[in-house]
Amino acid sequence: MRLQGQSSTFRTLVAVSAIAVVIAACGGAADTDEQSVAAPPPQQPEEPGVEPGFYEGTRATIEAIVPFSPGGGTDVMARTITPIMAQYLGDRITFQVENIPGAGSILGANQYLTRPKDGFHVLMTSASTTMPFIFGVEEALYDYSDFVPIIGWPAGAIQYVRADTGIKTGADLLAYDGVLNYAGVSPTGGELPRLLAFHLLGVPFAPIFGYGGRGAIQAAFEQGEADLDSQTTEAFLAGTARLVESGDAVAVSTHGFLRDGKIVRDPAFPDLPTLPELYEETTGRPAAGPGWSAYATLILALNNLQGVMWIHKDAPPEAIQALQSAALKALPELEEAVNLPYTLLVGDELQGFVDGLANVSPEVIDYLVGFVGEIYGEDLS
Amino acid sequence: MEGKIMFEAAIEATSLVFVPSRIAWILVGTTVGLLVGLFPGLGGMVGMSILLPFVYGMDPISGIGMLVGMMAVTQTSDTFSCVLLGIPGTVGSQATVVDGYPLARQGQAGRALGAAFAASIAGGIIGAVVLLLIIPIARPLVLSFNTPDLFMLTILGLCLVGVLTRGNALKGVLAGLLGMLASTIGMAPASPSLRFTFGELYLMDGVPLAVVALGMFAVPELIALIATRESISRIPISEVGRLREGVRDAWRHKGLVARSGAYGPMLGMIPGVGGSIIDWVVYGITINTSKNKDNFGKGDIRGVIAVESANNSKEGGQLVPTMLFGIPGSGTTAIMLGGLILMGIQPGPAMVEPEGLPILLSIVWSLVIANVFGGLACMSMTGPLSKLTTVNPGKLVPILFVLVVLAAYQSSRHWGDIVAFFAFGAIALVMREFGWPRVPLLIGFVLGQAAERYLYISMGRYGLSWLGQTSVIVITLLSILAVVVAARGKPIEAVDSI
C-alpha cells in the first residue's frame, strides 16, 4: 500500500492531519493548563522540610482502583485528587486510575484484595462499597478493618419539595394534606437515611423507586412526577439550587453530619434544620432510640465518609506514612481542586470515623434489616 | 430564547471553535473514533474510556471537541466492518449489515461504502442542525415526556421493529420476549433482588450489551464464512470508481437521507430508548414507506443509506438529555458526562442559558467538523480496505475471531464476558439454522430493561391512571398502527442477517 498510488484526496488528508497534529502539539493559548494522569507532574520546587519518604526518588506508578465505570462521582474524584497527591509524594510518581466496575463496586473492591501489598496499590471506595461491608453481604470479601484510610471526603444531602405543594418549612412536611411523591433509585442505597427519617417523622410520603439516576430524578421533580426529593450538596448547588432561587422549589431539611455522637447541621446549609432536629421540633421528644441510632450510623457511613482512599494495612508502614503525610500537605490544594463546601478528612479525624464504621453495633444492623424488610419487603443481606 | 441571543452565541461559538489548536483536538478525537469504529465490536465506550484520562484539566471547548469528535465518527467508520465483513462494527450497526454485506458479496463493496459515507456525512450535519434548532425548546420538550410516555415509547419501538419479521411474526415475537427475559438477568431496577444470576458476581449487572450483540451476530457470520470457504466477494473486487457511484446513489435518494437524518435526533432524544434500536426503527420505517420492497435484505442501497444517515444524526439528539439533564442516553454518553465534569462543566439547565450556549454550540460545530472529516477520511480508506473482501477466509476468520472475542472481553474484562459471548453465539447459531430472526431478541434485550423500569415507576406512581393519559393513548395508537401496517404487508423473505 504505497502512498504513491493513493488518490489525491488521501494524500491531502494525510497532509492536513499532519499539519493539524503539529499545530495541536505546539498548542494554542487555550491549552496551557492541560494535565494528564500519564504525563509527568509539573516541576515544583522541593517543599522545605520534606523528609525523603517511601516514594522519593523512585519512578513508579501507583494503581488507584476505582470500582466504578469511568465518569462517575468516585471516578471523577479519583482523577481530581490523584495528580495532586502524586506531586507531594515524589518527583516521578504518578497514579494510574484503574476502573473495575461491577456488582455495585463489590467486584473492584474484591479485586483490590488480590493486589500486592507493596504500597503501590490503593483503593477508592464510596457509600455503595461501604453498605455491603456493614451488612455483611457474603459476596463482599473485603473488610474495612484490613485497610488504612488515607483521605476521605464527605457529602451532604439536602431535601426539598416543589413549591406548588405549598410547603414552606420542614415542619409543614408533616402537616401536608395529601401524599408527597418521592422519586428514588433503590430503598437500600444512599436514600436509606432519609427514608428512615421520614418514616420516624411520620411524613406522608410515597416512595417510587427504579429511577435511573440523578438526571432522571431531577427531570421527574421538574415535571411534577415527584414532589419531594433529595440530592447531594454538590448536585444541588449545580442544578436544583436554581429552582429554589426561582421560587419553584423549597429546601426543607438536610441529613446533617455526625459529630461527637450527635447529628449537627450541614455547614453548607446552616439555616436548614436536620431531620432529627425536625423530629425534636415537631414531637418535643429527643431524637433517640434504635431508629435514630441507626440513622446516625447511616449518616456516618454515607455522609461523613462518602468516599475514602484506602491502602491495605499490610503495605510497608513507610508507604502508609508517606501517603498520609502527602494527603495532609496537599490538603489546601486538594480542597481547592475538589471545590466542595466541606473540608476533606485526613489523619485522626478520618481514622475516628473509619473506626466507627468498622464497629457498627449488631442491634443497629438488625434494626435496619428489619426496617427495610418490613417497609419495603426487601432482603438486605 | 431570542433569536438574537442565539445568533450572537452562535457567532461567539464559531470564533471559539475555529482556532487551529481546538480544531486539532477535534481531529484527534475524530482519529481515535475512526480507529475505534474500524475494529469490529469496539465502539464509542472504548474510545471514550481511552480519551477520558486526557481530558482532566483541559480547556472545555477543546476537550468537548475531542470527545464529541470521537463520538461522532464511530458510526461512520464502523461501516467498514459491517459492509466488508458482515460483522457489526459497533453494537447498533447490525442494520447496516443487512443490506451492506450482500452488496459486498456482489462485488459492490465500494458502492455500498460510498453511499454509506455520503449518507453519514449528510446525516451528521443534519443531526447537528436539528440539535441547533431544538436547543430553544429542548428543555420543555424533554420534560413533556413523563415516565408513562417513556414506557409507551419503548413499546412503540418494539412494534416498529416488528415489521422486520413479517414473514415470521410468531417467531419474531417469541424472540423478542426471549430477549426481554435475557435483559432481566441481574439486579432488578428498583430493588436489590437478583434474578438468574446463579450466584455469579459477574451476572449481577446483567450481560453487557456488546457481548450479546457480538455473540449473536459475529459468531454465526464468521462460522458461515469459514464453512463456505469462499472469500466474501465472489466477484473480483471492482475499483474505487464505484465509490463515486455510491455517492451518486446517496444524492439520488437525498429525500431518504434527509428523512432518516431527521428521525435520528428525534429518537435519540428519548432517554433510555438507546442508540442501538434507532437503526432498526429507521430501517423498519424505510421498508414500510418504500415502494419497491423486494430487494431489502438482499442488497438494496436504500437500506444502507437510510440507516447510515440516521445513525450519524442521532448523536446530536442523544446529547440533548445528556447535556440538559445529565441523563445519559448510552454507555458512551455516560462516560462523556464524567469527562464534562472533569473539565468543570456541569450539565444541566445552565447549558441553555446564555452562559452555557457557547459550549452547546461548539458541540454542534464539533459534530459537523468531525462528521465531514471522518466521512472523507473513510472514503479515502475505501480502496485498500475493500480488498479485505477478496482475502481467503481461512486467513481472515481466525484474526477476526480473536479481534471480536477481545472486543467482547473489553466489556468487563472478566471471564464471564467470553463465556457469555460463546453462549449467545451458540444460541444465535441455532436460531440462524432454524430461521429464527435474531434482531428481535437483541431489541427485546435492549428495550427490556428500560421498559421494565418505566413500567414499574408508572404503576408505582400513577396506579392505572396513566393508561388514560392523552399522550399515552396517542403513542398506543401509533404502536397499533405500526403493527397493523406490518401485518398487512406482504411477508418478506426471511433474511439470514436478521
Side-chain angles (χ1 to χ4, degrees):
Chain A
M1 209 190 311
R2 304 179 330 266
L3 210 52
Q4 287 299 76
Q6 297 311 312
S7 68
S8 57
T9 326
F10 184 62
R11 274 178 285 166
T12 320
L13 270 168
V14 170
V16 168
S17 319
I19 294 173
V21 170
V22 169
I23 293 179
C26 298
D31 310 325
T32 44
D33 52 334
E34 186 225 327
Q35 274 196 46
S36 136
V37 179
Q43 294 311 307
Q44 273 219 338
E46 271 289 341
E47 296 262 322
V50 167
E51 330 81 51
F54 178 81
Y55 302 98
E56 273 291 317
T58 45
R59 170 186 221 104
T61 306
I62 305 179
E63 178 194 48
I65 293 187
V66 171
F68 299 96
S69 307
T74 314
D75 181 62
V76 170
M77 184 64 86
R79 293 177 193 273
T80 309
I81 70 179
T82 49
I84 299 175
M85 283 193 62
Q87 288 173 40
Y88 287 84
L89 283 173
D91 281 345
R92 302 189 299 170
I93 295 287
T94 53
F95 277 87
Q96 174 73 37
V97 170
E98 184 78 23
N99 297 91
I100 307 182
S105 80
I106 294 181
L107 212 65
N110 283 353
Q111 280 276 308
Y112 179 67
L113 298 174
T114 65
R115 297 295 194 259
K117 301 170 177 56
D118 56 5
F120 289 95
H121 302 269
V122 298
L123 173 68
M124 319 282 293
T125 62
S126 90
S128 328
T129 334
T130 309
M131 294 288 267
F133 160 65
I134 291 185
F135 287 99
V137 168
E138 261 180 63
E139 288 87 354
L141 306 171
Y142 49 93
D143 187 340
Y144 279 9
S145 42
D146 289 335
F147 298 157
V148 175
I150 309 221
I151 184 166
W153 55 94
I158 171 171
Q159 292 76 55
Y160 48 88
V161 291
R162 285 176 62 85
D164 57 19
T165 55
I167 293 175
K168 301 242 183 333
T169 69
D172 294 343
L173 277 175
L174 288 102
Y176 186 69
D177 172 34
V179 172
L180 293 162
N181 290 300
Y182 170 86
V185 173
S186 146
T188 57
E191 331 240 11
L192 202 44
R194 49 189 169 270
L195 294 175
L196 177 56
F198 288 155
H199 174 75
L200 293 168
L201 272 166
V203 173
F205 80 115
I208 325 144
F209 299 112
Y211 282 89
R214 187 227 301 180
I217 293 180
Q218 173 142 12
F221 181 79
E222 292 192 40
Q223 282 169 340
E225 203 166 78
D227 311 298
L228 167 67
D229 213 347
S230 175
Q231 274 185 337
T232 59
T233 310
E234 215 182 334
F236 178 82
L237 292 173
T240 319
R242 246 164 211 274
L243 291 173
V244 172
E245 269 165 43
S246 65
D248 295 314
V250 178
V252 290
S253 64
T254 63
H255 275 191
F257 286 101
L258 187 68
R259 288 255 182 284
D260 304 318
K262 285 168 15 131
I263 300 287
V264 302
R265 285 198 176 185
D266 190 321
F269 304 105
D271 300 326
L272 286 178
T274 63
L275 289 165
E277 242 186 272
L278 272 183
Y279 180 82
E280 295 181 349
E281 197 185 300
T282 53
T283 63
R285 293 201 296 274
W292 289 108
S293 303
Y295 177 83
T297 305
L298 288 173
I299 297 301
L300 174 67
L302 303 173
N303 293 104
N304 282 46
L305 283 180
Q306 158 72 353
V308 182
M309 176 194 278
W310 308 89
I311 188 164
H312 201 278
K313 71 174 196 285
D314 293 336
E318 305 82 35
I320 301 182
Q321 198 186 34
L323 282 166
Q324 287 179 325
S325 82
L328 185 59
K329 295 200 191 76
L331 210 51
E333 210 178 315
L334 285 171
E335 291 191 338
E336 201 189 314
V338 160
N339 201 19
L340 282 176
Y342 307 113
T343 53
L344 299 175
L345 302 163
V346 288
D348 292 332
E349 198 190 3
L350 174 62
Q351 189 64 50
F353 289 149
V354 166
D355 290 337
L357 270 187
N359 295 310
V360 173
S361 82
E363 289 87 39
V364 164
I365 299 189
D366 285 339
Y367 179 90
L368 286 170
V369 173
F371 171 71
V372 176
E374 260 178 58
I375 310 291
Y376 302 107
E378 298 300 345
D379 183 7
L380 252 187
S381 50
Chain B
M1 171 87 359
E2 283 187 34
K4 184 161 176 293
I5 301 181
M6 278 281 283
F7 189 65
E8 280 168 8
I11 303 284
E12 187 187 343
T14 314
S15 65
L16 284 174
V17 171
F18 283 90
V19 162
S21 63
R22 291 205 171 116
I23 302 249
W25 283 115
I26 298 180
L27 296 180
V28 166
T30 308
T31 311
V32 172
L34 285 173
L35 291 172
V36 157
L38 211 53
F39 285 93
L42 288 184
M45 268 183 80
V46 173
M48 230 16 125
S49 310
I50 294 175
L51 292 177
L52 193 70
F54 297 100
V55 143
Y56 172 65
M58 234 172 130
D59 137 64
I61 309 265
S62 307
I64 286 187
M66 185 170 78
L67 294 180
V68 169
M70 193 234 63
M71 247 179 70
V73 292
T74 50
Q75 299 295 340
T76 311
S77 57
D78 70 357
T79 315
F80 280 115
S81 176
C82 294
V83 168
L84 299 176
L85 304 170
I87 300 173
T90 57
V91 165
S93 58
Q94 177 67 10
T96 314
V97 175
V98 176
D99 278 294
Y101 190 52
L103 280 169
R105 304 211 73 167
Q106 295 158 28
Q108 298 185 44
R111 178 176 169 232
L113 290 171
F117 297 140
S120 295
I121 296 178
I125 296 179
I126 294 176
V129 169
V130 170
L131 176 61
L132 183 69
L133 295 174
I134 278 199
I135 287 173
I137 56 163
R139 286 211 106 228
L141 196 62
V142 175
L143 283 178
S144 64
F145 287 101
N146 65 3
T147 309
D149 295 322
L150 293 175
F151 172 68
M152 282 318 299
L153 285 171
T154 60
I155 300 294
L156 178 61
L158 281 165
C159 295
L160 282 171
V161 180
V163 69
L164 298 167
T165 61
R166 268 181 302 175
N168 300 301
L170 182 61
K171 289 181 181 171
V173 167
L174 287 175
L177 293 175
L178 198 62
M180 290 185 107
L181 186 65
S183 79
T184 61
I185 297 177
M187 212 179 259
S191 60
S193 14
L194 296 172
R195 304 173 298 191
F196 300 117
T197 56
F198 308 111
E200 285 295 323
L201 217 55
Y202 169 74
L203 290 174
M204 251 179 83
D205 297 310
V207 186
L209 178 57
V211 169
V212 175
L214 281 175
M216 298 213 65
F217 292 104
V219 171
E221 207 46 61
L222 287 171
I223 296 195
L225 200 56
I226 200 119
T228 62
R229 297 202 195 151
E230 284 175 2
S231 63
I232 292 169
S233 169
R234 301 185 204 107
I235 300 175
I237 194 66
S238 33
E239 323 71 16
V240 177
R242 301 220 71 168
L243 185 84
R244 280 183 247 275
E245 192 186 325
V247 176
R248 261 179 273 133
D249 279 316
W251 177 252
R252 245 191 316 134
H253 294 285
K254 49 187 175 297
L256 181 63
V257 173
R259 279 199 311 274
S260 313
Y263 291 136
M266 282 172 13
L267 295 169
M269 257 180 31
I270 306 170
V273 168
S276 344
I277 75 153
I278 287 178
D279 292 22
W280 290 113
V281 169
V282 170
Y283 190 70
I285 296 178
T286 307
I287 293 186
N288 260 338
T289 55
S290 298
K291 291 186 196 64
N292 187 354
K293 308 183 209 246
D294 295 328
N295 259 337
F296 280 109
K298 301 193 210 123
D300 192 322
I301 199 82
R302 291 174 296 173
V304 174
I305 292 175
V307 168
E308 281 298 309
S309 175
N311 75 15
N312 277 67
S313 67
K314 73 169 192 258
E315 300 296 341
Q318 286 197 315
L319 286 170
V320 171
T322 307
M323 301 303 291
L324 296 187
F325 289 97
I327 305 179
S330 61
T332 314
T333 41
I335 303 182
M336 187 175 175
L337 269 178
L340 292 172
I341 295 175
L342 276 174
M343 288 186 276
I345 303 173
Q346 275 291 353
M351 301 294 302
V352 282
E353 301 295 319
E355 63 263 15
L357 274 187
I359 296 207
L360 256 185
L361 293 171
S362 66
I363 293 179
V364 171
W365 276 117
S366 307
L367 281 172
V368 171
I369 296 173
N371 269 293
V372 170
F373 179 76
L376 292 175
C378 284
M379 284 199 204
S380 68
M381 293 193 282
T382 313
L385 284 176
S386 298
K387 299 205 165 62
L388 278 173
T389 55
T390 51
V391 173
N392 178 345
K395 298 196 176 87
L396 192 60
V397 171
I399 299 177
L400 288 178
F401 222 102
V402 171
L403 278 178
V404 164
V405 170
L406 277 177
Y409 183 66
Q410 259 304 298
S411 308
S412 0
R413 278 166 281 144
H414 189 284
W415 272 112
D417 285 337
I418 302 186
V419 173
F421 171 80
F422 282 110
F424 277 94
I427 295 174
L429 270 173
V430 171
M431 286 176 82
R432 195 173 191 260
E433 275 309 303
F434 289 96
W436 282 64
R438 290 163 288 156
V439 168
L441 198 150
L442 186 69
I443 305 290
F445 183 81
V446 169
L447 289 179
Q449 275 211 345
E452 184 185 358
R453 186 187 289 277
Y454 293 147
L455 181 61
Y456 186 93
I457 293 177
S458 302
M459 296 298 293
R461 169 67 174 83
Y462 301 97
L464 285 168
S465 67
W466 62 273
L467 286 166
Q469 216 174 280
T470 327
S471 45
V472 169
I473 296 182
V474 168
I475 304 176
T476 313
L477 288 174
L478 281 173
S479 310
I480 297 178
L481 184 67
V483 173
V484 163
V485 169
R488 277 182 45 204
K490 213 173 51 162
I492 35 174
E493 241 174 81
V495 169
D496 261 351
S497 46
I498 286 196

